[in-house]
Amino acid sequence: MSLVQLDIRGISYSQTQTGAYALVLNEIDGERTLPIVIGAFEAQSIAIALESEITPPRPLTHDLFKNFAESYGVIVKQIIIHKLVDGVFFSKMICLQGNEEKTFDARTSDAIALAIRFNAPIYTYQEILERAGIILKQEDFTEEDEKESDDLFESTDDELSNLLNSSETSEKEIDYSAHSIQDLEKRLNTAIAKEDYETAASIRDELNKR
């Protein structure tokens, strides 16, 4: 299976799930995007890593991991989103220590947070993009989404625990199993038009099950 390189398009706040965000990845040489639902803590960690001018007063968990790894000569070479099961993305980190290469399983949000810190490329397989990729028009990702990403930078270190606690409480997810394929496709287009990537991802996963 061929690998496709991705970059981070942005982070959008979930309109249907309290404390959750949609991390939107974009294939570098194509139009497809891959929305992945992540928690508030991981979203903030990714946002801070993307903003080079922001330095937390104390290292976040992913910063600590990077400092610890580098002290032993370990770097993250690349990450691969290699599997999608029931709407859950599975990733692995390819790490190097000298000439020795090691692979570790990781949550996709953690893997991406570390990839940014190590300046490591992000990949997925064509098969996953064909199953879960969504084509968005340029205007579908607006300045409001960029502002929502910027707002993550404003949280102080003392607020991190509150963000983490809030991410554990979510609204009941909608059951799409009773909807027809035609209705789901219509809902998917509506969610994309509203930049509601988390809902779009849920509907996409239901369509994939069919």
Side-chain angles (χ1 to χ4, degrees), residues 8-47:
I8 298 174
R9 184 167 184 173
I11 302 173
S12 175
Y13 186 75
S14 169
Q15 300 180 30
T16 62
Q17 188 172 347
T18 303
Y21 291 78
L23 171 65
V24 184
L25 303 177
N26 191 76
E27 64 174 328
I28 290 181
D29 297 320
E31 300 179 345
R32 291 171 295 184
T33 60
L34 198 64
I36 301 175
V37 179
I38 62 176
F41 178 81
E42 292 78 11
Q44 186 184 59
S45 180
I46 290 171

Side-chain angles (χ1 to χ4, degrees), residues 159-206:
E159 293 172 323
L160 290 180
S161 60
N162 293 332
L163 282 171
L164 183 58
N165 292 333
S166 66
S167 68
E168 297 173 353
T169 304
S170 62
E171 298 176 1
K172 183 177 180 180
E173 295 184 3
I174 300 174
D175 182 8
Y176 293 107
S177 60
H179 295 269
S180 66
I181 292 180
Q182 292 79 6
D183 183 45
L184 289 175
E185 290 176 343
K186 183 183 295 185
R187 287 171 178 264
L188 176 61
N189 291 332
T190 300
I192 292 174
K194 293 181 178 179
E195 298 98 38
D196 184 0
Y197 304 116
E198 190 267 343
T199 296
S202 297
I203 296 173
R204 172 204 65 200
D205 295 338
E206 178 62 31

Side-chain angles (χ1 to χ4, degrees), residues 76-95:
V76 176
K77 177 183 177 182
Q78 64 185 28
I79 75 160
I80 301 175
I81 304 171
H82 66 93
K83 186 166 63 174
L84 173 60
V85 179
D86 295 331
V88 178
F89 292 90
F90 292 77
S91 295
K92 56 186 177 182
M93 297 192 308
I94 313 300
C95 300

